[in-house]
């Protein structure tokens, strides 16, 4: 919904059925069923500057369990973009259930990113922690391992 020239928002919900055995080649992995409400708000500070906030909540009892995610992004068009976020695994699933007598500990997956765009090239740098799983970026999806550290990338269109 576009409230006015400076503020717009979007909310939605999706139902997910995901076959890990097929897409991640995990022979005995459970079929993941999840419900995910999400939202996004963008506020234009000036014609070339904006703040964007996005959030998601994923409820499932399979795999790693339920997550909540939040991200704050600042854009300075046409070149710069910065973001910070945290994805929190707050409820265990079938894979990471605690042993008898132990309690489940919250797991944070933080991320800090900066990107610079020049003409058709984009250079980004980030510091993050991510769980193992499918990551979709720019329309390309791939299985990525669990990772914690720095990531640099360069994307160019010809």
């Amino acid at each position: 919904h576009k409230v006015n020239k400076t503020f717009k928002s979007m909310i939605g919900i999706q139902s997910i059925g995901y076959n890990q055995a097929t897409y991640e080649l995990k022979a005995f992995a459970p079929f993941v069923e999840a419900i995910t409400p999400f939202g996004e708000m963008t506020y234009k500070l000036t014609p070339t500057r904006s703040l964007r906030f996005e959030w998601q909540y994923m409820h499932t009892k399979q795999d790693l369990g339920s997550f909540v995610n939040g991200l704050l992004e600042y854009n300075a068009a046409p070149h710069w973009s910065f973001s910070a976020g945290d994805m929190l695994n707050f409820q265990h699933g079938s894979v990471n259930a605690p042993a008898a007598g132990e309690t489940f500990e919250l797991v944070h997956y933080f991320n800090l990113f900066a990107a610079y765009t020049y003409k058709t090239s984009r250079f980004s740098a980030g510091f993050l922690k991510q769980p193992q799983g499918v990551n979709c970026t720019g329309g390309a999806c791939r299985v990525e391992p669990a990772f914690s550290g720095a990531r640099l990338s360069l994307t160019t269109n010809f």
Side-chain angles (χ1 to χ4, degrees):
H1 178 69
K2 189 171 183 178
V3 176
N4 54 39
K5 289 182 179 183
T6 60
F7 183 74
K8 65 181 178 179
S9 64
M10 174 182 63
I11 59 170
I13 190 165
Q14 63 183 347
S15 176
I16 301 166
Y18 180 75
N19 190 335
Q20 286 183 305
T22 300
Y23 295 115
E24 297 180 37
L25 303 175
K26 292 181 177 179
F28 299 103
F31 186 84
V32 177
E33 294 179 17
I35 191 84
T36 307
F38 59 89
E40 178 178 311
M41 295 178 287
T42 303
Y43 181 72
K44 287 182 100 174
L45 302 166
T46 70
T48 61
R49 310 277 190 260
S50 67
L51 277 176
R52 186 176 73 87
F53 173 69
E54 88 177 38
W55 62 269
Q56 299 102 25
Y57 165 72
M58 182 181 77
H59 177 74
T60 185
K61 294 184 180 183
Q62 292 88 32
D63 198 38
L64 294 176
S66 296
F67 285 82
V68 65
N69 182 47
L71 176 85
L72 183 61
E73 180 179 82
Y74 173 73
N75 292 295
H79 299 293
W80 291 98
S81 179
F82 305 93
S83 70
D86 188 17
M87 182 170 67
L88 176 64
N89 185 199
F90 69 93
Q91 187 175 36
H92 72 80
S94 57
V95 173
N96 60 349
E102 294 182 4
T103 58
F104 177 72
E105 292 189 28
L106 302 176
V107 181
H108 289 270
Y109 296 95
F110 56 85
N111 62 70
L112 296 170
F113 279 97
Y116 180 78
T117 304
Y118 180 73
K119 295 185 181 180
T120 60
S121 298
R122 180 178 172 99
F123 175 76
S124 64
F127 185 70
L128 67 143
K129 179 179 177 180
Q130 74 180 28
Q132 185 273 330
V134 175
N135 186 5
C136 298
T137 304
C141 297
R142 62 192 161 277
V143 176
E144 292 188 356
F147 174 78
S148 181
R151 174 178 287 164
L152 303 173
S153 68
L154 174 64
T155 306
T156 300
N157 292 313
F158 298 100

